[in-house]
Structure formats: structure tokens, C-alpha cells
Amino acid sequence: MMSLEAIEKVAQVEREARERRAAAEAEARQILSGAERDGQALVQQTRAAALEEGKALLRQAEEKAAVRAAETGRAAEAAAADLQKKAKHHLEEAAEFIVGRVVKH
């Protein structure tokens, strides 16, 4: 038979083991909770960074589009001015032709 002292020692060791296990489980829960919190914060940071990057890309695209629109507008104005100049010249030639035909008849 085991002595009372040995029984008490076994009970103490078992109690200490339960306490260590409970402490380890509590620490594991805290670690898990911290990891979840850190993971959620990282997800939020990543979303915010992606949103900012998307906004920056949109701004860049809008700026490029504005530059191209201005270039296209200037080219269209130049082409329109050239067409007006040619049309005016052709109008003068047509007027001279008509006047010449009228005078001949």
C-alpha cells in the first residue's frame, strides 16, 4: 500500500499538472485570439491599401484620359481650322468660277 505521504504527493502532482494544463489552454486561447485579431487587422489594412491603390490607379487613368482628350481636341481643332481654310479657298474659287460663267453669258 501507498503511504499517505505518497498519495498526497501524487495528488499534488496531478493538481499541478491540471493547473499547468489549464494555464497552457488559457495561453493558447490568448494566442489564438491575438492571432485572429492580428489577422483581421491585416485584412483591414490590406483592404485599405488596395482601395487606396485602386483610387490612385483610377486617378492616373483619368489624368491620362484628360491628356489624351486635350491632345485629341487640339488635333481636331487644327483639322477643323485646316478644313475651314481649304473650304474658304474652294469657296473663293467657286465664286470666281460662277462670276466668270455669269459674265460670259
Side-chain angles (χ1 to χ4, degrees):
M1 284 189 68
M2 289 177 59
S3 68
L4 182 59
E5 187 177 307
I7 294 172
E8 288 176 354
K9 183 71 173 167
V10 169
Q12 180 182 352
V13 168
E14 288 176 347
R15 189 172 44 255
E16 289 172 356
R18 281 193 302 272
E19 289 171 358
R20 282 194 300 272
R21 182 176 180 173
E25 288 174 352
E27 184 178 358
R29 282 192 298 275
Q30 286 178 338
I31 291 170
L32 180 59
S33 176
E36 287 175 354
R37 186 175 51 252
D38 292 346
Q40 289 173 352
L42 182 58
V43 166
Q44 290 299 327
Q45 290 173 352
T46 303
R47 284 181 181 160
L51 181 62
E52 288 304 312
E53 185 177 346
K55 287 179 182 179
L57 290 173
L58 182 59
R59 271 192 306 275
Q60 289 174 2
E62 288 172 343
E63 290 169 3
K64 287 179 182 178
V67 168
R68 287 184 183 164
E71 290 171 354
T72 301
R74 284 191 295 273
E77 287 175 6
D82 186 49
L83 285 174
Q84 277 185 323
K85 183 178 173 183
K86 288 179 182 177
K88 185 176 181 182
H89 179 69
H90 289 304
L91 182 61
E92 289 172 2
E93 288 178 352
E96 288 175 15
F97 176 76
I98 292 170
V99 168
R101 297 277 301 220
V102 169
V103 171
K104 287 184 182 178
H105 290 297

